[in-house]
Amino acid sequence: MYRAKKIKTDDKQLFYKTVNKLLIGQVCYESDWLAQLANASALLGHQMDEINWVGFYLLKNDELVLGPFQGKPACTHIPIGKGVCGTAAEKRKTILVPDVHEFPGHIACDAASQSEIVVPILKDGELKGVLDIDSPIKNRFDEEDKKGLEEFVQILAENVHWENIC
Ligand code: SME
């Protein structure tokens, strides 16, 4: 049974320290990649405020394909270099989008989305996919979210059984 309570703090550093500890507890006792990523998206979906979509796009045959997520049904294939996800994947850099309407080529999956952060997942320099989070308010994500979520993704890079993804 999942016993963790909702983290109630305005301190983002403390928030991510706690979330990332919970993530380690979740992923290190599981060896199935799908179960690991499904619960990782559920963890953020449960713990983060003011978000309307959180999930993964995974690299398959040189494009991003929708993986486990929480939120409304979303677009299933994103070419590398397209949208926020494809751009983060191509550049292998986290992208913070304060206002999605200002991002050229943004792919709208949920009309409620106003801001977004996409963090690439790299294991030993190899791209595995991206973590994508959308918010219904502008400027939801800042440098502290970037740092905390990059640590979150690093835990996944090291612990998910990527070799079994087909
Ligand atoms: N907005 C993303 C597409 C994925 S949805 O937000 C879930 C993009 O521009 O790549």
Side-chain angles (χ1 to χ4, degrees), residues 59 64 80 88-90 92 120-123 125-130:
L59 186 69
L64 295 172
I80 300 297
E90 185 177 53
R92 294 164 173 242
I121 306 168
L122 298 163
K123 164 126 202 231
E126 226 177 85
L127 182 75
K128 297 297 178 189
V130 300

Side-chain angles (χ1 to χ4, degrees), residues 53 57 66 74-75 78 82-86 100 103 105-110 113 116 118 132 134:
W53 201 93
Y57 281 90
L66 183 63
C75 52
I78 299 178
K82 299 285 177 199
V84 188
C85 291
V100 296
F103 188 95
H106 167 257
I107 301 165
C109 291
D110 181 342
S113 299
E116 181 165 2
V118 179
D132 179 19
D134 287 13

Side-chain angles (χ1 to χ4, degrees), residues 10 38 49 77-78 80 84 86 94 102 105 109 126 145 152 163:
D10 291 332
D49 287 328
H77 294 252
I78 299 178
I80 300 297
V84 188
T94 297
E102 305 283 321
C109 291
E126 226 177 85
D145 293 289
F152 185 93
E163 67 278 8

Side-chain angles (χ1 to χ4, degrees), residues 45-78:
H46 175 234
Q47 294 291 355
M48 289 183 86
D49 287 328
E50 294 175 317
I51 64 166
N52 57 302
W53 201 93
V54 51
F56 299 95
Y57 281 90
L58 303 173
L59 186 69
K60 289 186 184 175
N61 301 322
D62 294 327
E63 64 170 358
L64 295 172
V65 181
L66 183 63
F69 71 96
Q70 308 266 303
K72 286 189 183 170
C75 52
T76 50
H77 294 252
I78 299 178

